[in-house]
Amino acid sequence: MKSDKKILLADVNTFITCVLCKGYLIDATTITECLHTCMKLLNFFNQFFFFNFVQIVCKKCIVEYLEENTNCPICDTLLHQSHPLLYIAHDRTLQSIVYKLVPNLERSELERQLKYFDDNQLEYPRELKEKLEQFNLLTDKKLEAKNCDKKPETNGQSKPEVVSNYHRDDEQIALSLEPLDGLKELERKYILCSCHSTITHLKKFVAHKIYSNIDLYKELDIMCNDEILGKDHTLKFILVTKWKDKELPMRLNFRPKLVF
């Protein structure tokens, strides 16, 4: 009878570390343009898993790298002359494997995030709060604050939870939205948005204002510094990567989507 083969963590370290920072992968991110497969990695893992791996990096590392470069840091393939950040994607499957392989890595990362939010007196995002509860990392003070946010029962009947402020307590980013290529101007081009708003939110807002049809948001591109912005990029991310050290409001443009 064939015995199970024991695998040491040292045997797989090379394959679950970021090629840029050399640490274990956090927010594992795939470079989708080249999709070159590391054959050594593929041959090793195919003994135990039945899917392919491509070269992976941490999201923070690749974003910082692509601020100054437009090529893949592994094979030097050109991603895009002006929009390289559109060619990276989060790899949830591999990140889940990394957390399962490396003892206490996920807990340590959550503790670092917890310290950051506490030190800066920021409210926990919903996904982070769920993870903290899962690992029993929420402090008694935070649990008490969370319970205080719930509406008390009145006359023995509970009322449905109401969204308190529609993200008005989030960090607000001032921006201007100006049209290109003959599109209609917005009645009010200067707006304040939550730092967690995404480009998709802005597209839907613009589509509602100029087309009176929110479903047409896919027909629009949002741009900053003449670069097309990814649909899932948050305003905070764009502010840090595209508008660093510049005065607000952040200037964005919208135009009809280019079809190639």
Side-chain angles (χ1 to χ4, degrees):
M1 183 176 178
K2 186 179 179 180
S3 60
D4 293 337
K5 182 178 179 180
K6 185 176 181 180
I7 307 173
L8 300 177
L9 184 58
D11 296 332
V12 299
N13 269 345
T14 305
F15 313 124
I16 58 175
T17 53
C18 173
V19 298
L20 294 175
C21 71
K22 309 303 180 185
Y24 287 120
L25 290 167
I26 300 296
D27 285 339
T29 301
T30 301
I31 301 169
T32 60
E33 179 64 11
C34 44
L35 284 180
H36 57 283
T37 303
C38 178
M39 294 308 298
K40 182 180 178 184
L41 171 62
L42 177 59
N43 293 334
F44 181 86
F45 269 101
N46 273 353
Q47 302 174 56
F48 314 103
F49 306 104
F50 299 97
F51 54 88
N52 294 342
F53 282 79
V54 294
Q55 292 280 17
I56 306 291
V57 290
C58 298
K59 182 177 180 180
K60 177 178 180 292
C61 296
I62 191 61
V63 167
E64 291 179 351
Y65 174 85
L66 292 178
E67 286 183 14
E68 305 294 336
N69 303 274
T70 57
N71 59 302
C72 171
I74 302 155
C75 67
D76 208 36
T77 297
L78 178 66
L79 304 186
H80 196 280
Q81 287 281 11
S82 55
H83 318 307
L85 289 172
L86 297 179
Y87 295 88
I88 61 175
H90 183 42
D91 193 325
R92 299 180 186 277
T93 302
L94 181 55
Q95 188 60 64
S96 176
I97 291 175
V98 174
Y99 281 151
K100 286 178 171 63
L101 288 175
V102 184
N104 298 319
L105 178 64
E106 185 172 15
R107 185 181 186 90
S108 297
E109 175 60 21
L110 287 173
E111 288 174 348
R112 283 191 288 268
Q113 293 185 34
L114 179 65
K115 184 178 185 303
Y116 171 82
F117 279 89
D118 285 345
D119 290 347
N120 292 276
Q121 298 182 346
L122 298 173
E123 183 180 355
Y124 301 151
R126 179 176 57 83
E127 291 185 3
L128 176 59
K129 188 179 292 187
E130 291 174 356
K131 281 287 186 181
L132 293 174
E133 291 176 344
Q134 179 181 340
F135 281 83
N136 297 318
L137 289 176
L138 274 178
T139 62
D140 293 338
K141 182 179 178 181
K142 288 294 181 180
L143 284 172
E144 182 180 350
K146 179 185 176 185
N147 293 330
C148 290
D149 289 339
K150 297 180 180 180
K151 294 288 184 179
E153 295 185 0
T154 305
N155 297 328
Q157 296 181 349
S158 60
K159 293 184 178 181
E161 187 175 350
V162 179
V163 177
S164 57
N165 55 15
Y166 299 96
H167 296 282
R168 291 188 181 92
D169 286 343
D170 293 348
E171 176 188 350
Q172 300 294 308
I173 295 178
L175 55 89
S176 67
L177 287 167
E178 300 185 9
L180 295 175
D181 299 340
L183 285 182
K184 177 183 175 183
E185 289 191 5
L186 298 178
E187 183 177 350
R188 297 180 179 177
K189 68 177 183 178
Y190 297 104
I191 59 175
L192 276 177
C193 289
S194 163
C195 63
H196 302 302
S197 300
T198 66
I199 292 302
T200 296
H201 292 136
L202 289 185
K203 286 183 178 182
K204 290 182 178 181
F205 171 76
V206 173
H208 175 67
K209 292 297 183 181
I210 67 173
Y211 297 135
S212 298
N213 185 350
I214 198 172
D215 295 331
L216 296 179
Y217 75 95
K218 294 182 180 179
E219 304 299 320
L220 295 169
D221 279 330
I222 303 289
M223 307 178 66
C224 180
N225 299 330
D226 297 324
E227 295 185 18
I228 299 174
L229 301 174
K231 62 184 178 68
D232 295 323
H233 290 170
T234 65
L235 293 184
K236 182 67 174 181
F237 173 79
I238 297 165
L239 182 68
V240 172
T241 60
K242 306 293 184 184
W243 205 257
K244 194 173 183 179
D245 300 326
K246 295 184 180 180
E247 292 185 359
L248 294 176
M250 180 167 60
R251 292 192 296 275
L252 303 181
N253 298 102
F254 57 91
R255 73 177 186 189
K257 187 177 185 65
L258 296 181
V259 180
F260 298 97

